[in-house]
Amino acid sequence: MSDVLLGLKNLKVIFPAQQGIVRAVEGIDIDILKGECVALVGESGCGKSVTSLAIMRLLNTPPALIEVESINLGGDEITKYSENKMQDVRGKQISMIFQDAMTALNPVMTVGKQIDEVFIKHNKLSKKEARIETIKALRLVGIPEPESRAKAFPHQLSGGLRQRVLIAMAFACMPKLIIADEPTTALDVTIQAQVLEVLRNMQKSHNVSLLLITHDLSVVAHTADTVYVMYSGKIVEKAKVEDLFREPHHPYTEGLLGSIPRLSDTTKHFVQIPDSVPHPMFKPTGCYFHPRCKYATDICKEKMPPLVRLDNGREIRCYHPINFSGGENNE
Amino acid sequence: MKVLKKVLRKILNSLIGIGLFIGKIWKHKKGKIGLILVALLAFVAIFAPLIAPFDPYDVTERAAKGLSPSWEHLLGTTINTGQDIFSMLIYGTRVSLLVGLVTGIAIAFLGAILGIIAGYVGGMADNLIMRIVDIMLVIPTLPLTIVITNLFGKSYFIIVFIFVIFGWTGLARVIRSLVLVLKNSNYVKASELAGGSRWHIMTKHILPGVSHLLIMNTALTCAGIMVAEAGLSFLGLGDPTAISWGKMLAEAQSGGALLFGHWWWIIAPGIGIFIAVFAFMRIGLVMEEILNPRMKASSGIFKLFKTLNNTYIQEVFDGMNEEVLTTKEGEIS
Amino acid sequence: MSKNPIIKIENLYVDFPVKGGLPFQKKKHISAVSDVSLEIYPGETFGIVGESGCGKSTLANAMVGMVKPTGGKVIFKDKDLFSLNRTDFKKTRSDMQMIFQDPFSSLNPRFSVFQLISEPMFIRGGFTKKEMEQRVLELLKLVGLDEKDLHRYPSDFSGGQKQRIGIARAISLNPDLLICDEPVSALDVSVHAQILNLLIDLQEHLKLTYVFISHNLAVVKNVCDRILVMYLGKVMEFGSTKAIYKNPLHPYTNALISAILDLDIKREKTILKGDIPSPIDPPKGCRFWQRCPYAMEGCIDIPAPLLEVEENHFVACHKLSGFNEEQIKNGLDKRINKDE
Amino acid sequence: MQKSFIIKRIIYAIFIFFVVLTLNFFIPRLGVDDPAERYYPPQGNMSDIEYEIIKQVTREQYGFDVSTFKQYTNYVEGLLRFDLGTSFRTGNPKVSTLIAERLPWTLVLSVSNLVISLCIGLIFGTVAAWKRGRWQDSLLLNLSTISVALPAFFIALILSFYFGFELELFPAYTNPNMVSQFDWSWEAIKVVFFNAALPIISMSIGGIIGYSQRTRNSVIAVTNEDFVLTARAKGLSQNKVLFKHTLRNAMLPIVTAVGMSLSGLIGGAVIIEQIFNWNGMGTLFLEANNTNDYPLMMGIMLFMSTIAILANLIVELTYSLLDPRITVGEKR
């Protein structure tokens, strides 16, 4: 198990509120290997962003309450770190790329300065040395004329460039792990392709682990190695990316894959999942997916299925998994 | 007949709306205090002659000047004229409330109309209104009020007039920016597409959309106006014959309350102003909380966290624990 | 399809003045839509595709008369929309309805579902309350909502359900043309399919004509019969969906299609360089030349004409239209060397 | 872009100035045909002929003997020479001289008020935002409701009563010799300090709480922004996040608030000055009012408006320096 970079065990996050308790994350385990790209896929409100912030220990208590068995980063247990020590970890060992670069960058500070800060904090460089490094970092992510762009304010850059600045900032100290929270969602399609390309190249060439958080399975297809599918605060399926796309075991995954329009499709209608995601405060009994599941039986309504770890490394939480050799729901 | 029925129904509807609205404020603990206080003040103002033990204007018959508080004169009498301070305090409610409410409502009307015109009609009208706002903002209000009272004589009518003339600008700005947001919202667009007239959109979408903000602002302006009225009365710019809290303070100062240590003469009108302003402020702030829940949520959450039962939380966490099964492929289910 | 077009757009231009600048300076303009002509026939689904700032939403808004064009005509049911008087304009226009991108802002939070859906009927007038209620219930059933939802408010619904309410409102007056402005892009992935299927079913059921605006070519492919690809306010490619997907001729369309992260086909991808330029004072020639991998000297100054290369397949690209002899003599056909 | 923004703002400020100036010229002429009547109202024991003569003298002395338009151009022309007209007082002093005499004394009050309110308010507000939801925060919330409901002049009266008359710690009325005997000596400054203490305190209580409340709201709003999260994710210390990222952005609305209060810098202390008998612009204005000294009143009004216009201009330009997004009139 020495090649596990980040081991997250049994993370639970809840948000108490006046009307009740929001169970955002209900005990999830995630392992990220060195140099691997792991994708955490789920729809809005499934707790994927909360998970990423919990790993960085950036969730504020209150409003959040967190219980976690262990967050192990390269052999060190970071749950026991003091806030000061944690500050040395953030940006240096784990860093983050946020969804909307427009709001994630300080509007009144030049982008160069914002990247300088990382070098000044972690590499103890002077301002001048930091700027040299910053320009190097900007060039690395393919920003043309990095010297002048470093002096620009965020609003003076286009969306694609801003996102690249965030990537440069995340890769500044070459951390062991980068968490990218919906890094391309806010971008145009052609720009999205550029940014994903940059992200993937950076990750592969510097052998950094990447936790990619997204709702878009098609982004995952060409980027990730391992995929975790999350639904309503629980992991419902884990698999290698090829396995997942070839034969999804969980009905939810099947539904997600079906709702992505493919160029090769010939029918006019889409495969659809009925209904919508349950409210995190009022989740159904039993399997959270059962009201939307076409395979649901009585047991699904009563009891949450356990997470089953298969010997080929896949995980699945379902009473009636599909696409199994010998499974009950094969067409 | 039909028109009358329609109008009556409209009035009834809006009354129900106001009732529901007051109910909403009533639900807040803070709002309840505000509503009770306002009701109390209104009661005092309306029935002032019945409540006040003496005629506050009476300066002739009483020889007893400068009395300290006693059961007969709850707050004593004035040093120079021997008026009953408690009765003056009761009568002072009238001016304060009247000026505050009339100005507040007039400002609400003017500000809402001009703000909506500026925001919804746009173009030249918007330009004109916003330029006027800019000019109003740089003219010093208090000195101008003094000049105007000098020119046209002292009366509360003039004061209300000037307050309204200067007071609408802030409201119009706020309303305008909200109207701009509403105007560009998709539901207004949908309504326009369906053939909705300007009138329809204005009355069905824009006006209800700004109503909460309008009421909140009116409550806060009333509060602010009452302070300003007290200030002007203090300077002697109000109606010289009326009794108002501001004028009472001025009389206390000039009449030697400070010198003779008659602190109640100063405190009493001050508390009057305080209660009136406080009541309207409270209502305004509760409105703001209803409108803008993010700002207040904080303290609620902290209180919630303090009262949360730790064992319950632990149960919630423990309830999420579960076994992970390990099996070979194919042995499932 | 030799029927009469339901809506016809002729050489439409829409410019917006840019705010700011000194009063005596020359005003700058955003050229949002530039020289667009198209015809949409009854019963078809017409797709308009492009990235942000390409003018697709402006084009849609001009179609329904929400934006006044600076040039050109919009002819809806043989009537020139912008030469009508106010009442006729409104009457004509109410046969076109729109479904908005963001279901959260397209429903007035103060209205109940009944009020929301019946608003168009209320505006048109001539319905009794009972008729309206009847019709609203009918519509609710049609879009897959429950009768019990009638007196609930938008905040009680999920994104997908809100969008259903929006659709019900749009079809309440039996419009002929429905403009869907990115109807699913603000929704959860698992809900996309529901809404798209609903739209497809409604079209069959109610014989609607759709204008379908999207940035996602994959969505458009299944739904649309014909597609118009726009870039910076200009038409780049235009034709039947089949033709465009089988044989994308414009480099931009090609890039858009290859940007779809398809699950099945691992094909060679063309990733465009650079960013979408500002629509203020756009390039004089072909608006795409700065990002085009095949850009030639002539592309900088000479706009590419929209040519019919196959039957019903139009492309605006110098690569296909070529240059005349004189221009070739001047070296306009040389590729611009891009330092890689 | 920057340059054209500045030019635009300056042109606009000049436009506003001219409108205000024109209003200022016409307001005292409201309702009367002969401005001299306004400047010298009829008195009971005066015969018609006498009054006519006096009016004639007034007209000549104040330049009312020409057409209104000419008067207006003369007025504007005078302004260009910083001449605000002649006061109606005995000895006919220039309005500008009178203002210059009193201005520093008002500034003593209002500038110290502004500085004190701003400094303490910023600190309190930041603390309250930092300790959001704890007792510091709720204390501020309650204080802010109370402070609005307690007008400054009421606080002034209470302070003057308690500290001036009961404890006799500070003078309840300003020493009339303070102004005439001021010679920049240490003693004189001490006297000023003692006399100004109560007025400044009574003015700044509301200001402190107001700025605290604004700062608190603004800091909390910025703390919820994504870029603060980014800064924390970079590993910056809490202090760095607070000072380099949060506060600078939170300052933007505060700058507007300061600008608003700048415009009231001179006219804001009328009542306080009156209570403490402070020899500033406010009392000067009230004196002018009592003697119907219109040139002086309108001169002070115009002066105040001009300060307000300048203050607005400065705020807009400062804002554009602090927030680089402002000057951009176009997207991207």
Side-chain angles (χ1 to χ4, degrees):
Chain A
M1 286 295 272
S2 63
D3 53 349
V4 173
L5 176 72
L6 182 101
L8 176 69
K9 271 192 108 168
N10 209 358
L11 172 76
K12 302 164 192 163
V13 185
I14 60 173
F15 293 90
Q18 246 86 8
Q19 301 87 346
I21 287 179
V22 173
R23 291 169 170 81
V25 178
E26 303 189 14
I28 65 169
D29 301 348
I30 290 177
D31 287 329
I32 300 172
L33 306 184
K34 282 201 176 96
E36 186 193 28
C37 175
V38 172
L40 187 59
V41 180
E43 289 172 283
S44 61
C46 75
K48 54 192 197 305
S49 293
V50 173
T51 306
S52 69
L53 291 176
I55 294 172
M56 294 287 276
R57 289 186 46 199
L58 279 174
L59 275 180
N60 288 332
T61 342
L65 281 174
I66 306 162
E67 195 187 80
V68 60
E69 212 172 298
S70 116
I71 305 175
N72 193 310
L73 181 72
D76 296 320
E77 186 57 44
I78 60 172
T79 42
K80 296 198 173 65
Y81 278 14
S82 67
E83 173 60 27
N84 264 344
K85 211 166 172 198
M86 206 49 220
Q87 280 165 7
D88 290 331
V89 173
R90 290 181 202 132
K92 176 85 177 167
Q93 299 192 41
I94 315 178
S95 62
M96 247 185 124
I97 300 169
F98 291 95
Q99 173 175 166
D100 184 0
M102 188 66 209
T103 58
L105 289 169
N106 188 338
V108 304
M109 221 182 203
T110 61
V111 293
K113 251 196 189 151
Q114 297 186 49
I115 304 179
D116 289 350
E117 282 183 336
V118 186
F119 291 111
I120 294 169
K121 160 80 190 178
H122 295 296
N123 294 1
K124 310 276 177 288
L125 298 181
S126 71
K127 275 187 182 173
K128 263 197 183 146
E129 292 164 331
R131 182 47 63 93
I132 296 170
E133 292 296 317
T134 299
I135 288 169
K136 266 191 212 161
L138 288 176
R139 186 168 290 132
L140 221 51
V141 294
I143 292 183
E145 305 163 50
E147 290 86 356
S148 62
R149 291 290 155 82
K151 291 187 198 120
F153 289 99
H155 70 270
Q156 291 164 332
L157 300 178
S158 67
L161 283 185
R162 276 199 292 266
Q163 203 63 43
R164 283 174 198 235
V165 167
L166 274 191
I167 294 176
M169 191 188 287
F171 278 92
C173 291
M174 289 306 158
K176 295 175 191 162
L177 172 68
I178 286 180
I179 302 175
D181 188 355
E182 307 260 8
T184 58
T185 311
L187 301 172
D188 275 320
V189 260
T190 56
I191 310 295
Q192 205 170 0
Q194 286 175 5
V195 169
L196 265 186
E197 177 95 347
V198 168
L199 191 61
R200 203 161 45 151
N201 287 346
M202 289 290 285
Q203 187 241 334
K204 290 278 181 265
S205 59
H206 297 97
N207 203 29
V208 174
S209 301
L210 183 67
L211 176 60
L212 183 70
I213 291 170
T214 180
H215 70 273
D216 191 352
L217 265 177
S218 54
V219 168
V220 168
H222 297 275
T223 322
D225 303 309
T226 308
V227 183
Y228 285 86
V229 181
M230 223 174 147
Y231 187 78
S232 212
K234 294 232 180 212
I235 298 284
V236 294
E237 181 160 16
K238 175 208 172 183
K240 290 265 166 247
V241 67
E242 313 87 53
D243 296 342
L244 189 87
F245 284 115
R246 203 180 54 240
E247 42 184 33
H249 286 348
H250 198 282
Y252 176 61
T253 320
E254 186 198 32
L256 273 187
L257 286 171
S259 62
I260 298 172
R262 304 176 187 207
L263 288 181
S264 53
D265 275 354
T266 44
T267 51
K268 206 166 179 184
H269 279 70
F270 296 87
V271 182
Q272 71 176 49
I273 315 175
D275 219 333
S276 55
V277 187
H279 190 282
M281 212 183 277
F282 313 107
K283 293 182 182 176
T285 55
C287 174
Y288 293 153
F289 188 62
H290 86 256
R292 307 177 69 185
C293 182
K294 57 181 169 184
Y295 310 112
T297 55
D298 285 343
I299 186 163
C300 301
K301 289 175 193 157
E302 285 155 20
K303 230 174 113 214
M304 168 64 74
L307 190 69
V308 179
R309 202 159 279 162
L310 305 177
D311 56 355
N312 59 0
R314 292 187 73 154
E315 289 171 14
I316 170 118
R317 183 192 294 279
C318 187
Y319 289 122
H320 313 293
I322 42 178
N323 291 330
F324 255 108
S325 40
E328 45 188 301
N329 287 321
N330 288 332
E331 270 99 335
Chain B
M1 202 56 211
K2 211 174 175 188
V3 175
L4 192 74
K5 222 173 171 182
K6 210 174 171 186
V7 168
L8 277 177
R9 186 181 289 162
K10 276 263 156 75
I11 292 173
L12 196 70
N13 273 344
S14 50
L15 279 181
I16 290 170
I18 291 171
L20 283 178
F21 193 71
I22 290 177
K24 230 186 217 171
I25 297 174
W26 184 258
K27 270 188 204 141
H28 271 75
K29 205 171 71 195
K30 286 178 188 167
K32 212 176 265 184
I33 301 171
L35 284 178
I36 291 174
L37 284 178
V38 169
L40 191 76
L41 286 169
F43 179 78
V44 168
I46 293 166
F47 299 106
L50 300 178
I51 299 169
F54 294 95
D55 178 8
Y57 294 97
D58 181 12
V59 293
T60 48
E61 287 174 27
R62 197 159 295 107
K65 291 181 181 175
L67 288 180
S68 298
S70 64
W71 280 115
E72 197 191 352
H73 297 283
L74 279 174
L75 287 166
T77 55
T78 60
I79 294 170
N80 44 358
T81 54
Q83 289 159 280
D84 180 55
I85 295 176
F86 182 68
S87 305
M88 288 172 83
L89 188 68
I90 302 269
Y91 271 74
T93 321
R94 293 184 150 185
V95 167
S96 215
L97 223 53
L98 197 66
V99 170
L101 280 177
V102 169
T103 317
I105 290 168
I107 285 178
F109 264 99
L110 199 63
I113 290 171
L114 290 174
I116 289 178
I117 291 176
Y120 188 64
V121 178
M124 278 302 288
D126 183 23
N127 249 326
L128 186 71
I129 291 171
M130 291 329 279
R131 294 298 83 81
I132 293 175
V133 168
D134 282 347
I135 291 163
M136 295 300 230
L137 276 179
V138 300
I139 296 177
T141 323
L142 180 57
L144 186 78
T145 318
I146 297 175
V147 172
I148 301 282
T149 47
N150 190 317
L151 287 171
F152 298 104
K154 292 166 182 171
S155 78
Y156 282 108
F157 179 76
I158 297 264
I159 287 186
V160 169
F161 180 74
I162 293 184
F163 279 155
V164 173
I165 291 293
F166 278 89
W168 65 269
T169 52
L171 183 62
R173 271 190 168 188
V174 181
I175 298 275
R176 173 181 175 265
S177 49
L178 183 61
V179 170
L180 282 180
V181 173
L182 294 178
K183 183 184 159 188
N184 291 324
S185 70
N186 283 336
Y187 58 81
V188 167
K189 218 166 147 184
S191 183
E192 253 173 71
L193 264 180
S197 61
R198 283 192 166 189
W199 178 249
H200 172 86
I201 288 166
M202 205 102 95
T203 51
K204 288 272 145 75
H205 293 285
I206 306 269
L207 206 55
V210 298
S211 64
H212 276 62
L213 187 74
L214 194 63
I215 296 176
M216 172 194 116
N217 260 293
T218 309
L220 291 179
T221 350
C222 283
I225 292 295
M226 285 195 277
V227 173
E229 178 273 321
L232 290 182
S233 297
F234 182 81
L235 284 176
L237 297 172
D239 187 343
T241 58
I243 290 176
S244 80
W245 291 332
K247 213 174 104 203
M248 281 172 75
L249 280 172
E251 282 166 0
Q253 197 210 8
S254 62
L258 300 167
L259 208 59
F260 294 104
H262 285 195
W263 51 268
W264 52 87
W265 194 1
I266 303 171
I267 297 286
I271 287 182
I273 297 171
F274 177 80
I275 289 176
V277 176
F278 182 79
F280 280 94
M281 280 276 296
R282 265 290 144 95
I283 294 177
L285 288 178
V286 167
M287 289 290 321
E288 199 172 5
E289 277 182 16
I290 295 172
L291 274 179
N292 223 349
R294 199 174 71 160
M295 278 290 158
K296 68 115 204 209
S298 61
S299 60
I301 280 284
F302 277 89
K303 270 181 205 146
L304 188 74
F305 261 67
K306 268 185 205 152
T307 54
L308 266 179
N309 189 339
N310 278 333
T311 48
Y312 173 59
I313 292 295
Q314 200 51 51
E315 269 171 33
V316 170
F317 275 137
D318 289 345
M320 296 175 184
N321 281 342
E322 59 183 355
E323 248 180 293
V324 176
L325 305 176
T326 321
T327 23
K328 282 188 180 147
E329 190 170 352
E331 287 177 18
I332 199 159
S333 145
Chain C
M1 272 189 263
S2 54
K3 282 182 283 183
N4 269 342
I6 182 165
I7 189 167
K8 196 172 163 189
I9 290 176
E10 287 175 3
N11 306 80
L12 195 79
Y13 288 84
V14 183
D15 290 346
F16 296 116
V18 179
K19 279 193 180 158
L22 293 174
F24 43 83
Q25 273 176 342
K26 203 183 152 227
K27 277 259 185 281
K28 286 179 177 172
H29 284 276
I30 293 176
S31 155
V33 174
S34 169
D35 194 13
V36 174
S37 304
L38 53 90
E39 285 171 356
I40 297 171
Y41 298 97
E44 75 169 334
T45 304
F46 190 89
I48 302 176
V49 185
E51 291 171 286
S52 65
C54 76
K56 55 188 192 295
S57 290
T58 312
L59 179 60
N61 282 337
M63 261 186 220
V64 294
M66 303 285 292
V67 168
K68 228 178 152 77
T70 27
K73 275 183 192 166
V74 175
I75 297 163
F76 180 65
K77 289 182 161 176
D78 301 323
K79 284 179 204 148
D80 183 355
L81 210 55
F82 293 98
S83 65
L84 293 173
N85 64 32
R86 232 183 132 70
T87 32
D88 282 344
F89 174 73
K90 270 189 181 161
K91 222 167 122 197
T92 315
R93 188 172 71 173
S94 62
D95 284 338
M96 291 187 263
Q97 290 297 322
M98 218 164 166
I99 297 168
F100 300 95
Q101 173 178 9
D102 183 4
F104 300 90
S105 80
S106 63
L107 304 179
N108 190 338
R110 261 168 266 275
F111 280 26
S112 70
V113 171
F114 171 71
Q115 282 171 305
L116 282 167
I117 299 178
S118 66
E119 198 195 355
M121 290 182 261
F122 179 81
I123 289 170
R124 180 169 284 183
F127 296 88
T128 63
K129 197 163 180 196
K130 213 160 186 188
E131 282 170 353
M132 287 206 277
E133 209 166 287
Q134 200 82 39
R135 174 82 178 128
V136 170
L137 286 176
E138 204 177 288
L139 286 165
L140 279 180
K141 214 168 129 200
L142 208 57
V143 297
L145 285 171
D146 205 81
E147 279 183 19
K148 280 178 286 179
D149 296 335
L150 195 63
H151 295 293
R152 289 164 78 198
Y153 286 84
S155 55
D156 301 336
F157 294 95
S158 69
Q161 288 170 314
K162 281 183 190 162
Q163 197 61 295
R164 284 170 195 266
I165 298 172
I167 293 171
R169 174 178 61 189
I171 59 174
S172 64
L173 286 182
N174 290 319
D176 301 309
L177 182 69
L178 202 54
I179 292 170
C180 313
D181 188 358
E182 306 250 13
V184 296
S185 63
L187 302 175
D188 271 332
V189 200
S190 68
V191 183
H192 282 195
Q194 295 172 20
I195 299 295
L196 291 173
N197 286 345
L198 174 67
L199 285 173
I200 292 167
D201 291 341
L202 283 178
Q203 182 171 34
E204 279 165 18
H205 194 79
L206 301 170
K207 309 273 173 284
L208 287 165
T209 311
Y210 282 156
V211 173
F212 200 92
I213 297 169
S214 178
H215 65 275
N216 188 346
L217 266 178
V219 171
V220 173
K221 179 188 167 265
N222 286 33
V223 182
C224 296
D225 303 314
R226 290 190 300 152
I227 297 179
L228 179 83
V229 181
M230 283 180 82
Y231 185 80
L232 272 187
K234 282 224 169 198
V235 178
M236 295 286 121
E237 190 163 357
F238 174 27
S240 73
T241 311
K242 248 187 216 148
I244 285 184
Y245 278 87
K246 213 168 77 195
N247 186 18
L249 290 171
H250 198 283
Y252 179 62
T253 320
N254 196 24
L256 274 185
I257 289 181
S258 90
I260 303 171
L261 295 155
D262 198 296
L263 301 175
D264 309 318
I265 311 156
K266 294 218 171 185
R267 64 162 99 189
E268 193 57 35
K269 292 211 288 192
T270 31
I271 292 179
L272 289 176
K273 296 253 178 299
D275 280 305
I276 306 163
S278 155
I280 304 165
D281 300 327
K284 232 190 339 180
C286 172
R287 294 200 171 171
F288 183 60
W289 76 267
Q290 286 145 317
R291 300 177 73 193
C292 182
Y294 309 103
M296 293 174 276
E297 293 287 344
C299 298
I300 303 174
D301 289 322
I302 307 163
L306 196 62
L307 280 188
E308 186 164 10
V309 281
E310 301 166 1
E311 201 192 336
N312 285 327
H313 189 175
F314 299 80
V315 183
C317 182
H318 284 301
K319 205 177 72 171
L320 295 157
S321 59
F323 295 99
N324 63 31
E325 272 176 40
E326 196 192 347
Q327 285 164 334
I328 291 171
K329 222 180 276 166
N330 292 334
L332 289 182
D333 61 335
K334 262 192 221 130
R335 285 276 291 275
I336 298 173
N337 281 330
K338 293 206 166 164
D339 37 0
E340 299 284 289
Chain D
M1 218 54 218
Q2 186 85 22
K3 213 166 133 196
S4 80
F5 175 78
I6 294 173
I7 296 172
K8 215 170 153 182
R9 295 327 301 176
I10 290 175
I11 292 175
Y12 188 56
I14 293 172
F15 162 73
I16 297 275
F17 176 74
F18 265 91
V19 174
V20 169
L21 174 160
T22 312
L23 283 176
N24 220 0
F25 175 82
F26 283 105
I27 283 175
R29 287 167 175 76
L30 282 176
V32 285
D33 301 328
D34 185 359
E37 240 165 77
R38 192 57 93 199
Y39 283 68
Y40 207 100
Q43 260 138 43
N45 53 358
M46 205 179 277
S47 72
D48 282 358
I49 305 169
E50 268 179 311
Y51 186 51
E52 207 42 60
I53 293 171
I54 282 177
K55 277 206 284 191
Q56 187 56 36
V57 173
T58 316
R59 277 187 210 116
E60 275 163 27
Q61 194 173 356
Y62 293 95
F64 299 143
D65 44 355
V66 290
S67 71
T68 313
F69 181 72
K70 183 76 178 141
Q71 286 174 39
Y72 179 70
T73 50
N74 284 346
Y75 179 67
V76 175
E77 209 179 298
L79 286 179
L80 294 178
R81 286 180 271 114
F82 297 102
D83 180 3
L84 290 164
T86 311
S87 163
F88 203 66
R89 294 184 172 195
T90 36
N92 293 333
K94 284 275 172 204
V95 168
S96 43
T97 337
L98 287 171
I99 290 178
E101 260 171 34
R102 298 291 188 94
L103 181 62
W105 296 102
T106 285
L107 288 181
V108 167
L109 290 192
S110 49
V111 171
S112 355
N113 166 35
L114 181 63
V115 171
I116 290 172
S117 314
L118 193 59
C119 292
I120 302 181
L122 281 178
I123 295 168
F124 276 14
T126 315
V127 170
W130 204 241
K131 306 269 177 189
R132 194 177 170 191
R134 324 266 164 92
W135 66 268
Q136 293 96 329
D137 193 18
S138 31
L139 177 75
L140 177 64
L141 196 71
N142 293 327
L143 278 182
S144 64
T145 337
I146 292 171
S147 83
V148 178
L150 283 181
F153 65 89
F154 179 62
I155 297 176
L157 280 177
I158 299 289
L159 290 181
S160 126
F161 177 74
Y162 193 67
F163 291 100
F165 284 94
E166 294 286 303
L167 300 181
E168 297 185 13
L169 278 177
F170 294 98
Y173 293 109
T174 313
N175 184 351
N177 296 331
M178 182 185 80
V179 176
S180 54
Q181 290 174 359
F182 189 74
D183 54 359
W184 288 105
S185 69
W186 186 236
E187 275 307 306
I189 292 177
K190 230 161 106 183
V191 169
V192 173
F193 176 78
F194 257 99
N195 282 295
L198 289 185
I200 291 176
I201 293 172
S202 44
M203 282 166 82
S204 51
I205 286 177
I208 290 172
I209 294 168
Y211 279 118
S212 310
Q213 187 68 26
R214 266 171 209 276
T215 312
R216 179 227 175 230
N217 288 349
S218 172
V219 168
I220 286 178
V222 175
T223 313
N224 290 334
E225 297 266 356
D226 281 358
F227 64 81
V228 174
L229 199 61
T230 317
R232 285 173 67 202
K234 278 193 266 190
L236 298 185
S237 64
Q238 290 191 334
N239 282 340
K240 270 240 168 90
V241 173
L242 179 65
F243 286 106
K244 288 192 85 174
H245 290 273
T246 313
L247 276 188
R248 180 154 176 215
N249 283 282
M251 281 312 287
L252 295 175
I254 308 292
V255 169
T256 322
V258 171
M260 287 292 211
S261 70
L262 274 184
S263 30
L265 202 57
I266 292 162
V270 176
I271 304 179
I272 300 289
E273 286 185 9
Q274 146 97 354
I275 290 174
F276 291 98
N277 241 353
W278 185 267
N279 259 317
M281 297 281 283
T283 37
L284 181 67
F285 193 84
L286 289 176
E287 284 164 24
N289 178 41
N290 292 338
T291 54
N292 288 331
D293 191 347
Y294 279 93
L296 184 52
M297 280 161 93
M298 300 325 288
I300 296 174
M301 286 267 295
L302 186 62
F303 183 70
M304 287 174 178
S305 309
T306 314
I307 296 284
I309 293 170
L310 285 178
N312 281 346
L313 187 64
I314 290 169
V315 166
E316 265 167 4
L317 298 185
T318 320
Y319 207 102
S320 75
L321 274 183
L322 281 179
D323 189 345
R325 288 165 296 182
I326 286 300
T327 51
V328 185
E330 57 201 58
K331 279 183 190 167
R332 223 177 288 233

